[in-house]
Amino acid sequence: MLVRDAMSTLVLTIGPAHTLRQAARLMSVRHIGAAVVLDKDNSGLGILTERDILNAVGSGQDPDAETAATHTTTDVVFAAPTWTLEEAAEAMTHGGFRHLIVLDDHGPVGIVSVRDILRCWAPTRRRHHAQLIDWAP
């Protein structure tokens, strides 16, 4: 199965000046765990995740004063829609993160998360497990 089959095409794009509270609100309403931060003047594309917001608030930072720019990961690993889910999982495991921005020739087309991958793999694993149980003595 490929990344394009698993990715969410609902991509929230925010600017670097959005506050963490604004970003959290937008992510919460859409039930997503990451936003693409588009900073045309500096770093280009970055990602702000729910974990970034949680870490900032947990360390006592003010979500109404802190901006996405300060907490955005700009050293991003991007996935292609044609990657296999195994390739995406390997990139996530190697990098220690849970979301990948999916890019095609025109820009961001989706985000794939660990949850998306598990959702695709779980039915296959259940069928395999059921077959093993059926054959058990």
Side-chain angles (χ1 to χ4, degrees):
M1 188 171 278
L2 301 178
V3 165
R4 73 170 152 244
D5 302 318
M7 71 183 189
S8 170
T9 56
L10 175 61
V11 179
L12 172 61
T13 303
I14 63 172
H18 276 81
T19 67
L20 293 185
R21 184 175 311 278
Q22 290 169 327
R25 185 176 299 118
L26 293 168
M27 290 163 60
S28 177
V29 167
R30 289 164 177 80
H31 305 287
I32 56 176
V36 173
V37 180
L38 180 58
D39 187 350
K40 294 177 184 178
D41 296 330
N42 293 313
S43 60
L45 289 179
I47 190 166
L48 179 73
T49 68
E50 57 199 354
R51 180 170 291 174
D52 297 326
I53 296 169
L54 180 69
N55 287 340
V57 172
S59 69
Q61 296 179 21
D62 181 356
D64 293 312
E66 293 293 316
T67 62
T70 307
H71 299 278
T72 296
T73 300
T74 56
D75 184 20
V76 180
V77 174
F78 298 102
T82 55
W83 278 18
T84 66
L85 294 185
E86 288 81 7
E87 289 173 307
E90 173 70 25
M92 289 178 189
T93 301
H94 181 72
F97 42 79
R98 299 178 298 160
H99 298 86
L100 287 169
I101 299 172
V102 183
L103 293 180
D104 70 6
D105 295 335
H106 306 289
V109 293
I111 292 185
V112 65
S113 70
V114 170
R115 184 176 300 189
D116 296 326
I117 293 171
L118 290 175
R119 191 176 299 121
C120 291
W121 282 351
T124 303
R125 302 293 189 244
R126 270 189 250 126
R127 281 195 304 275
H128 179 70
H129 182 67
Q131 290 171 350
L132 292 176
I133 291 171
D134 290 344
W135 291 101

